Amino acid sequence: MPTALVTGASAGLGRALAAALVSRKWTVVGDGRDAAALSAAAGEIGFTAVPGDVADPAHRASLAEACPSLDLLVNNASSLGVSPLPPLGGYPLAELEKVYRVNVFAPLALTQLLLPALTAARGTIIDLSSDAAVEAYEGWGGYGSAKAALDQVTAVLGAENPELAVYAVDPGDLRTAMHQRAFPGEDISDRPLPASAVPAFLRLLDERPPSGRYRAADLLVPA
């Protein structure tokens, strides 16, 4: 039975991915900062909950301890940063540092810890990207630049580890709590639910294309 670690599994896309993997008979370990929400999701879906902040080195060590063998790492946990989204000219640098700590340094640090297990399994790494990593949207400079950095980290990891499948995936705009924080007071009910993007991730796992950056919208189109 393959094993996956999904960060940010208490809600949104992380929860939807965890549910899909469990339905495929995967053993899933999930983390999240909200211990109560994570426990509720784990109980409903059937995965192992390890609550904590992925930016905390001690928590990352606990995750590695929970995954002595690993076939899939999904670095889904992300931080939007300041809300409402500020322009870069006035972005508080201490807050921007926190965004990079969660969105860039934490995924790389967790990957470093789990790389031996993933290599032994010839496994897969999926890092969650965003269209804000490649498009210049006003107000998205903090989050977008961090995701752009993560894209490059992902690309180099793929080049350095040809035995692994290493993907950066842009899931598109989804109806999540984080997306709502980016648009406070606005109605985002027109965005699709997170589960709508899950088949794109499953296609990557099933077909194992070359390492690289992919858009869920493209993967949802039949080959």
Side-chain angles (χ1 to χ4, degrees):
M1 184 178 292
T3 300
L5 169 58
V6 180
T7 66
S10 63
L13 181 58
R15 178 181 174 137
L17 284 170
L21 292 168
V22 169
S23 74
R24 286 186 160 205
K25 309 303 181 184
W26 282 62
T27 296
V28 176
V29 176
D31 95 324
R33 285 173 289 187
D34 186 330
L38 182 68
S39 178
E44 179 180 333
I45 294 168
F47 65 81
T48 299
V50 182
D53 186 343
V54 75
D56 177 8
H59 174 59
R60 292 196 298 266
S62 295
L63 290 174
E65 185 177 346
C67 300
S69 62
L70 191 65
D71 300 273
L72 170 64
L73 169 61
V74 182
N75 284 309
N76 166 71
S78 300
S79 171
L80 176 68
V82 178
S83 176
L85 298 173
L88 280 177
Y91 206 113
L93 293 182
E95 295 300 320
L96 183 59
E97 183 179 342
K98 293 178 183 177
V99 172
Y100 272 72
R101 191 178 301 130
V102 174
N103 294 358
V104 185
F105 301 141
L108 177 56
L110 188 57
T111 299
Q112 289 175 340
L113 285 176
L114 295 168
L115 198 56
L118 287 162
T119 301
R122 298 185 63 85
T124 301
I125 300 170
I126 297 179
D127 293 334
L128 266 292
S129 185
S130 168
D131 61 335
V134 295
E135 300 289 345
Y137 300 130
E138 290 185 19
W140 287 84
Y143 179 84
S145 64
K147 287 298 184 179
L150 181 62
D151 277 1
Q152 182 65 359
V153 165
T154 308
V156 173
L157 280 169
E160 293 175 342
N161 299 275
E163 68 280 10
L164 300 179
V166 186
Y167 306 122
V169 181
D170 169 11
D173 289 348
L174 299 173
R175 198 187 317 169
T176 64
M178 188 177 76
H179 201 76
Q180 183 66 76
R181 286 188 63 244
F183 300 98
E186 295 187 27
D187 181 8
I188 66 165
S189 61
D190 60 326
R191 274 71 163 184
L193 291 170
S196 66
V198 168
F201 292 83
L202 299 180
R203 183 175 178 185
L204 286 177
L205 295 178
D206 291 342
E207 299 182 9
R208 200 177 171 96
S211 294
R213 188 180 193 277
Y214 293 85
R215 295 173 65 245
D218 297 329
L219 292 166
L220 292 170
V221 177

